[in-house]
Amino acid sequence: QENRRDDRCYAPREEAAYLKVLGIRPPVTKRKLRVAYRERAKALHPDVAGDSRVADMQRLNEAYNYFIARVK
């Protein structure tokens, strides 16, 4: 039961961080998510931004995968 409480506490904070990474505001739609991801991915891709932005690109992918699993 304690784990459930922790999940509820941390999920909104994590979601807010992911929204910031993607540069979007709620409500999250598939179209909004796809457009934001593509714009950010073009700027952060290692071929464009260099190897110093690899961690940022990974965080962007993590945020995208988080929302795409929840938005149908």
Side-chain angles (χ1 to χ4, degrees):
Q1 289 177 356
E2 201 167 311
N3 289 339
R4 284 188 195 163
R5 185 182 308 147
D6 288 344
D7 290 343
R8 283 192 304 245
C9 291
Y10 294 117
R13 198 174 314 156
E14 182 176 276
E15 191 170 293
Y18 285 152
L19 287 170
K20 188 174 181 179
V21 167
L22 288 161
I24 58 176
R25 301 174 84 182
V28 178
T29 63
K30 270 189 172 181
R31 179 166 171 71
K32 190 190 287 188
L33 182 60
R34 186 176 58 238
V35 169
Y37 174 78
R38 287 182 180 172
E39 287 177 4
R40 300 280 295 164
K42 284 179 187 177
L44 294 175
H45 195 277
D47 290 344
V48 175
D51 291 335
S52 64
R53 302 300 299 264
V54 170
D56 294 335
M57 185 67 186
Q58 289 173 342
R59 184 74 173 156
L60 178 66
N61 286 329
E62 186 179 320
Y64 177 79
N65 290 329
Y66 175 85
F67 283 113
I68 204 66
R70 287 160 177 76
V71 177
K72 297 290 176 183

